[in-house]
Amino acid sequence: TLFYQPQYRLSDSKLTSCEALIRWRHPNLGIVGPGEFIEIAEQNGIIGQITNYVLSEAARQEKIWRQKGVFLPLSINISAENITSLSLPEYLVKLLDDNMINSDMITLELTEGAIVEELGCALDTLTRLRLKGIGLSIDDFGTGYSSLSQLHKLPFSELKIDCSFVSKMMEDEEAKSIVKACINLGHELNMTVVAEGIETIQQLELLKHFKCDIGQGYYYSKPVVPEALEKLADQSLRSIV
Ligand code: C2E
Ligand code: MG
Ligand code: MG
């Protein structure tokens, strides 16, 4: 099942978008987080099926929201193996067509580690996705050892600073410098910069001071079921029809 975590524009605290995060509703264990099964799925060749499920479920939800007047761009996590599959762009574009979703409503998130791992095959698929208008985000930035020339070559539209830096930056001067440098780097490369894992007002204020664009974290909201996200969206996004 998919939970959704809201993302807010830091300058005016407006809800701008949300990230779909998978959970497994297990009959005995209850709700199991992706940390428990995504890696196993990747190692056992079933991540393609999971990603296709996540994409189609997110498209279904997007359509439901749109019919209710809620226009909410969605970020979706994909794995390294997905970008080596040439069928991903076609699959996604058909899904968007079938559900009449504009491609600019969707951003695919790929961890920095996955990008480095699959660099050879990734460029072609990523470029095709970007040319179709789909957003591309580097997730967990700062943990994956990409080089500046790789970053420059790849068509990313968004950079997400890893939560480990955000969580330490109030006590740790180095983490603080890294966050500031990532924000400036992202802006220099024309990317929207998102900070993950914001838990306190102090972190939020510092990120605003550094001119970070978007924030996500427990300070605003944990990932929630679609109905709860709709309520959050209601306050700022419901269009006047
Ligand atoms: P991610 O994409 O970096 O997602 C952010 C993770 O941080 C989420 O964990 C979210 O619940 C958590 N988080 C959000 N705000 C805070 C905060 O303020 N403090 C703390 N401590 N944590 C926060 P989650 O949902 O357990 O997901 C973990 C990872 O699993 C994701 O990291 C993503 O890499 C992967 N994942 C999630 N859904 C999918 C999916 O559909 N497909 C694939 N391939 N991977 C997924
Ligand atoms: Mg993510
Ligand atoms: Mg992340």
Side-chain angles (χ1 to χ4, degrees):
T1 191
L2 296 185
F3 277 38
Y4 297 87
Q5 189 176 32
Q7 299 180 319
Y8 291 81
R9 189 160 57 210
L10 297 186
S11 60
D12 60 3
S13 302
K14 275 243 152 64
L15 199 162
T16 54
S17 45
C18 65
E19 178 176 8
L21 292 157
I22 196 169
R23 273 96 184 89
W24 180 1
R25 281 189 199 277
H26 192 280
N28 307 323
L29 302 174
I31 293 195
V32 179
E36 306 287 329
F37 61 89
I38 286 291
E39 204 180 323
I40 301 170
E42 287 170 348
Q43 287 160 359
N44 289 278
I46 57 165
I47 194 65
Q49 290 167 55
I50 291 184
T51 297
N52 286 354
Y53 166 76
V54 170
L55 291 170
S56 66
E57 177 58 19
R60 193 186 65 84
Q61 186 60 56
E62 180 78 36
K63 189 174 172 189
I64 293 175
W65 279 333
R66 191 181 60 229
Q67 286 167 345
K68 293 180 173 181
V70 177
F71 297 91
L72 207 53
L74 263 180
S75 292
I76 299 165
N77 295 283
I78 61 169
S79 292
E81 199 194 297
N82 301 137
I83 37 166
T84 63
S85 137
L86 289 176
S87 60
L88 180 76
E90 280 71 37
Y91 180 83
L92 184 53
V93 167
K94 180 165 189 312
L95 205 56
L96 297 183
D97 283 349
D98 290 349
N99 291 282
M100 293 193 294
I101 296 171
N102 280 342
S103 57
D104 63 3
M105 292 294 275
I106 302 294
T107 294
L108 298 180
E109 295 190 4
L110 202 54
T111 64
E112 191 190 11
I115 296 160
V116 173
E117 199 180 309
E118 297 298 347
L119 198 68
C121 321
L123 187 61
D124 185 33
T125 308
L126 294 176
T127 306
R128 283 162 64 185
L129 287 164
R130 194 73 196 99
L131 285 173
K132 291 184 194 299
I134 291 155
L136 294 176
S137 178
I138 314 176
D139 205 349
D140 302 347
F141 185 73
T143 63
Y145 311 103
S146 62
S147 72
L148 292 177
S149 72
Q150 287 167 349
L151 278 187
H152 172 66
K153 254 184 243 146
L154 294 166
F156 282 92
S157 47
E158 182 182 279
L159 183 157
K160 286 186 95 168
I161 304 170
D162 191 61
C163 58
S164 62
F165 302 111
V166 175
S167 68
K168 281 188 294 197
M169 71 178 179
M170 301 312 295
E171 307 84 49
D172 180 336
E173 284 297 317
E174 278 182 14
K176 185 171 155 184
S177 302
I178 290 170
V179 168
K180 189 177 175 192
C182 289
I183 294 168
N184 292 335
L185 175 68
H187 287 161
E188 287 295 328
L189 296 176
N190 285 323
M191 292 192 266
T192 302
V193 181
V194 183
E196 301 189 299
I198 304 176
E199 294 188 354
T200 67
I201 181 93
Q202 290 80 8
Q203 292 167 344
L204 174 66
E205 291 302 330
L206 186 58
L207 289 160
K208 267 191 195 172
H209 175 71
F210 288 157
K211 302 267 185 300
C212 183
D213 304 297
I214 309 281
Q216 181 180 352
Y218 297 167
Y219 172 78
Y220 291 112
S221 166
K222 292 197 168 183
V224 293
V225 294
E227 296 71 27
L229 192 95
E230 246 171 70
K231 291 210 179 102
L232 294 171
D234 233 11
Q235 297 151 9
S236 55
L237 278 170
R238 189 168 287 279
S239 67
I240 301 147
V241 191

